[in-house]
């Protein structure tokens, strides 16, 4: 009897280990709603536009999306300045449009993740207005400090600098104090040391969970807490960075008191509990947290959990995005990828990110002829792949002159240096077809200009071409659903200076090998040097990019593989004995 029970339990555990939860193998897609699809011709994308495009997302293999903010906002930071966390901005539509989006997305099996922006609100939020008036409930909702009078002049509470340049402190004459804004001055920082703020934000999360959100992507988590104030209500200066003498530059100080305070991880754990409790109470699929933070690896790894409690299901992995550039070789790729895999706590899920609305596009950063290589790598690594809208069709940055620049991070600078800061080039409208405004909008003027390359780089045209960026992406994301990819082991190795190899294997199943030639020489590869188990094995080509001279179904021996410059291929073992 006991023996039978033990056997059943063991079997149960084995079965569980095999079947992954939806998010562990998801193909995520980031939608920047302003630039995705404009349904009403005002030049700005909206929720109805997203709903209309769900079929497209399904077709290309996307299983979950995360939407940049769609909430009420004066748009000083294009939606990251929220004036009401539980209402839809009219620019994007209505609550009914949101409900409809969820309904249609559910029908197609696509999860909708919302952007949660806890660090700050808009200065037009009711909470801030009440805090200014020292309303008894709201007075400590924000980070207020008196500052100093020096020789008759008022000076800020500390030398802290905003991410968007200039002092992070703004004087508010109505309250007679400074408030902290780590971003735009229209984005006052919430005070997470005030339990009422934590409660208010918990209610925001629960509101959207009830509305059907599958989880949240948490914005700028590392900025949530600041050091505690001094006895006089002011704050300690941050130490100077010797190599930056521009007082307005974010690099002027070392951010030891304004980012990565130890309370941050505890807060993430408490938000995770909200997700888990909601599922316990209401059933349904797991609701997830994706935490955005550009913190050091050891800090980010703590977001996963501490071995006792769980944290963010997916702390965004920005290592590839931050470490790789157009000079990187295969060893650099190996290092960026394995640093994450080797540091990740056992049993957690990896994720792979190469772009978002804050960074230059992959084709512009790494070279247009590397876009398919990058998509091949992201799709064949273990865990979640995360695509920023437009990367699947190979969109590139669009030059926006100073006069037309709208991003506050760039507008806070000057015509000489704005290009270093502007995030507009990666935010231009999605290119759907070769009609007016690339099919994005019927407006005469879109909020940012459409790229001039839209006649060829667009969804409709690329669908019809077998070796387009989009066809490759779609093919890879089908391949990714194979069991070896969803459940298998991974080994990532530079085969030489120029070629990266990714081996995916699963007991009793096919082994897959991704090979990408990052540079411009012809390469002759013996696979068994990197992956000894492959000696004398035969492989079949199951994916080839435009540079390849092979066709799918071609066979090759492991010891003699030729790769063209910038070629990307996936090989599949012809027998399953390789493991
Ligand atoms: C947010 O908007 C909703 C719907 O219009 C409203 O009921 C709620 O009071 C607003 N909340 C705040 C804090 O202004
Ligand atoms: C204040 O004024 C005095 C006298 O003019 C001067 O020596 C001192 O440096 C000033 N302090 C600051 C912080 O500017
Ligand atoms: C953490 O997550 C794992 C995997 O989902 C689960 O097995 C474990 O019970 C969770 N731990 C807690 C404390 O909830
Ligand atoms: C391009 O897309 C727009 C918006 O969906 C549509 O009105 C237009 O007819 C499309 N053009 C072509 C050539 O399909
Ligand atoms: C767009 O421009 C055309 C031609 O100048 C004009 O007739 C039309 O009214 C404009 N449409 C809008 C929505 O402004
Ligand atoms: C598995 O990969 C093969 C290519 O080897 C592909 O044809 C097939 O569609 C994939 N299966 C699934 C379920 O995605
Ligand atoms: C693999 O195949 C062998 C022989 O067919 C079998 O005994 C074993 O249970 C299989 N393992 C798995 C994990 O399926
Ligand atoms: C990638 C990302 O979402 N970055 C956001 C971080 O937070 C600031 C302020 O909310 C936004 O401006 C960025 O776009
Ligand atoms: Ca619109
Ligand atoms: Ca903060």
């Amino acid at each position: 009897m006991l023996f039978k029970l033990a056997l059943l339990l063991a079997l149960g555990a084995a079965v569980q280990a095999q079947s992954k939860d939806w998010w562990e193998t998801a193909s995520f897609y980031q939608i920047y709603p302003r630039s995705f699809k404009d349904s009403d011709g005002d030049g700005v994308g909206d929720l109805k536009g997203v709903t209309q495009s769900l079929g497209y997302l399904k077709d290309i293999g996307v299983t979950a999306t995360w939407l940049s903010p769609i909430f009420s906002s004066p748009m000083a930071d294009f939606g990251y300045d929220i004036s009401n966390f539980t209402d839809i901005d009219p620019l994007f539509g209505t609550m009914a449009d949101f409900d409809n989006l969820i309904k249609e997305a559910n029908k197609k099996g696509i999860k909708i993740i919302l952007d949660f922006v806890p660090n700050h609100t808009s200065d037009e939020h009711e909470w801030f207005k009440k805090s200014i008036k020292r309303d008894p409930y709201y007075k400590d909702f924000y980070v207020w400090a008196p500052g100093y009078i020096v020789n008759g002049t008022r000076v800020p509470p500390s030398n802290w600098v905003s991410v968007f340049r200039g002092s992070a402190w703004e004087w508010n004459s109505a309250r007679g104090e400074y408030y902290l804004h780590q971003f735009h001055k229209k984005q006052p920082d919430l005070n997470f040391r005030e339990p009422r703020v934590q409660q208010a934000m918990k209610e925001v999360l629960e509101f959207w969970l009830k509305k059907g959100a599958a989880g949240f992507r948490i914005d700028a988590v590392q900025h949530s807490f600041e050091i505690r104030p001094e006895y006089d209500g002011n704050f300690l200066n941050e130490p100077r960075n010797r190599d930056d003498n521009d007082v307005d530059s974010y690099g002027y100080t070392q951010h030891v008191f304004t980012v990565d305070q130890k309370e941050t991880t505890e807060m993430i754990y408490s938000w995770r509990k909200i997700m888990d409790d909601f599922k316990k109470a209401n059933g349904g699929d797991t609701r997830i947290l994706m935490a955005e933070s550009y913190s050091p690896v050891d800090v980010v790894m703590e977001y996963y959990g501490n071995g006792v409690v769980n944290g963010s299901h997916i702390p965004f992995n920005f290592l590839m995005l931050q470490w790789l550039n157009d000079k990187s070789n295969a060893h650099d790729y190996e290092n960026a990828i394995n640093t994450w895999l080797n540091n990740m706590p056992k049993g957690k899920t990896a994720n792979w990110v190469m772009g978002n609305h804050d960074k230059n596009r992959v084709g512009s950063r790494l070279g247009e002829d590397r876009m398919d290589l990058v998509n091949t790598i992201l799709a064949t690594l273990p865990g979640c792949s995360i695509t920023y809208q437009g990367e699947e069709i190979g969109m590139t940055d669009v030059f926006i002159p100073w006069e037309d620049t709208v991003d506050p991070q760039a507008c806070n600078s000057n015509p000489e240096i704005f290009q270093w800061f502007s995030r507009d080039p990666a935010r231009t409208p999605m290119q759907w077809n070769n009609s007016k405004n690339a099919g994005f909008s019927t407006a005469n003027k879109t909020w940012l200009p459409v790229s001039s390359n839209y006649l060829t780089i667009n969804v409709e045209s690329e669908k019809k071409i077998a070796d387009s960026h989009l066809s490759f992406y779609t093919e890879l994301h089908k391949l990714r659903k194979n069991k070896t990819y969803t459940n298998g082991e991974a080994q990532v190795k530079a085969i030489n200076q120029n070629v990266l190899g990714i081996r995916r294997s699963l007991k009793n199943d096919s082994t897959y090998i991704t090979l990408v030639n990052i540079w411009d020489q012809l390469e002759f590869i013996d696979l068994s040097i990197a992956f000894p188990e492959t000696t004398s094995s035969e492989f079949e080509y199951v994916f080839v990019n435009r540079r390849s001279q092979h066709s799918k179904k071609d066979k090759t021996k492991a010891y003699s593989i030729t790769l063209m410059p910038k070629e990307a291929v996936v090989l599949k073992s012809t027998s399953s004995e390789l493991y």
Side-chain angles (χ1 to χ4, degrees), residues 60-98:
I60 66 172
V62 167
T63 57
T65 67
W66 72 267
L67 268 60
S68 281
I70 49 174
F71 317 111
S72 309
S73 167
M75 300 289 162
D77 188 19
F78 299 109
Y80 282 93
D81 50 320
I82 297 169
S83 54
N84 185 332
F85 286 103
T86 52
D87 206 2
I88 304 286
D89 195 279
L91 195 59
F92 296 122
T94 61
M95 194 57 87
D97 294 336
F98 178 80

Side-chain angles (χ1 to χ4, degrees), residues 77 80 120 164 183 187 217 219-220 292 356-358 423 427:
D77 188 19
Y80 282 93
H120 45 261
F164 291 172
F183 293 90
Q187 291 167 304
R217 174 269 183 190
D219 181 63
E292 183 217 29
N356 60 42
H357 63 282
D358 279 350
R423 298 169 296 177
R427 296 178 174 182

Side-chain angles (χ1 to χ4, degrees), residues 120-154:
H120 45 261
T121 69
S122 163
D123 63 342
E124 298 179 30
H125 198 292
E126 281 305 316
W127 300 343
F128 191 63
K129 293 180 188 162
K130 288 178 177 159
S131 197
I132 290 175
K133 294 195 184 121
R134 296 180 197 260
D135 173 296
Y137 195 84
Y138 293 96
K139 65 179 172 31
D140 295 326
F141 257 52
Y142 295 83
V143 183
W144 294 101
Y148 302 99
I149 302 287
V150 176
N151 285 350
T153 307
R154 200 185 311 281

Side-chain angles (χ1 to χ4, degrees), residues 5 44 78 86 96 138 225 240 283 331 392 404 469 508 514 522 532 559 566:
L5 188 64
V44 181
F78 299 109
T86 52
Y138 293 96
F225 281 87
R240 280 287 317 281
H331 295 286
E392 76 280 19
D404 298 330
H469 303 300
N508 290 358
T514 300
L522 198 59
Y559 55 77
K566 309 278 168 59

